[in-house]
């Protein structure tokens, strides 16, 4: 969106500028290829001989303890989220509000996705 706006301005099209919140830090928390990215941690957990959603959740919290977008479920404003154990999920403060993610199914879903991706490459 930002690139499109820059192009419109460069071309002198006079399109009304839209202001938006830059959420790159949230994207980096989720997608970073480094040691702390949630997807990266999930992939690492999936490679273990006995992957565990509680171990994955603990890794997310420990690798991103200082990240202001990440919180424990018990710190949620919603009562139903506060009932989730800290080792069963995490909360991400997205630009539009906080979302609580339960990690119980993450490893199974990730393994299924990897299998489908591999089969597509082989197929």
């Amino acid at each position: 969106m930002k690139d499109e706006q820059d192009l419109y301005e460069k071309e002198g099209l006079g399109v009304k500028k839209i202001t938006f919140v830059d959420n790159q830090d949230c994207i980096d928390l989720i997608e970073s290829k480094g040691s702390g990215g949630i997807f990266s941690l999930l992939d690492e957990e999936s490679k273990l001989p006995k992957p565990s959603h509680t171990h994955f959740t603990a890794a997310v919290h420990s690798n991103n303890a200082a990240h202001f977008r990440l919180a424990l479920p018990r710190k949620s404003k919603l009562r139903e989220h506060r009932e989730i154990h800290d080792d069963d999920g995490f909360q991400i403060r997205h630009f539009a509000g906080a979302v609580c993610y339960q990690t119980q199914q993450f490893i199974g879903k990730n393994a299924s996705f990897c299998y489908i991706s591999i089969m597509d490459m082989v197929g």
Side-chain angles (χ1 to χ4, degrees):
M1 183 72 172
K2 184 180 183 316
D3 292 338
E4 290 177 20
Q5 283 190 16
D6 291 342
L7 178 62
Y8 295 158
E9 189 174 314
K10 182 179 172 184
E11 297 285 330
L13 297 177
V15 175
K16 182 180 174 187
K17 189 162 186 157
I18 300 170
T19 57
F20 57 91
V21 177
D22 183 4
N23 64 345
Q24 188 61 50
D25 56 346
C26 189
I27 294 169
D28 291 342
L29 170 64
I30 298 167
E31 295 185 356
S32 177
K33 301 290 185 203
S35 61
I38 292 172
F39 287 161
S40 205
L41 292 169
L42 179 59
D43 286 341
E44 289 302 313
E45 186 68 34
S46 296
K47 293 176 187 174
L48 295 176
K50 292 187 178 184
S52 159
H53 81 279
T54 56
H55 184 262
F56 162 66
T57 306
V60 169
H61 289 296
S62 66
N63 280 280
N64 298 288
H67 202 291
F68 76 99
R69 296 256 187 207
L70 187 75
L72 297 167
R74 66 183 141 108
K75 294 192 176 186
S76 175
K77 292 179 181 179
L78 298 174
R79 188 178 59 130
E80 64 193 47
H81 292 168
R82 290 192 305 265
E83 293 173 1
I84 299 169
H85 294 243
D86 290 347
D87 60 353
D88 286 331
F90 52 86
Q91 178 180 220
I92 297 179
R93 295 180 190 101
H94 296 277
F95 75 96
V99 177
C100 199
Y101 297 92
Q102 291 180 277
T103 57
Q104 183 79 29
Q105 305 294 323
F106 275 41
I107 294 167
K109 298 272 185 187
N110 191 52
S112 297
F113 178 75
C114 289
Y115 178 76
I116 291 168
S117 296
I118 290 169
M119 293 310 292
D120 284 346
M121 288 183 348
V122 174

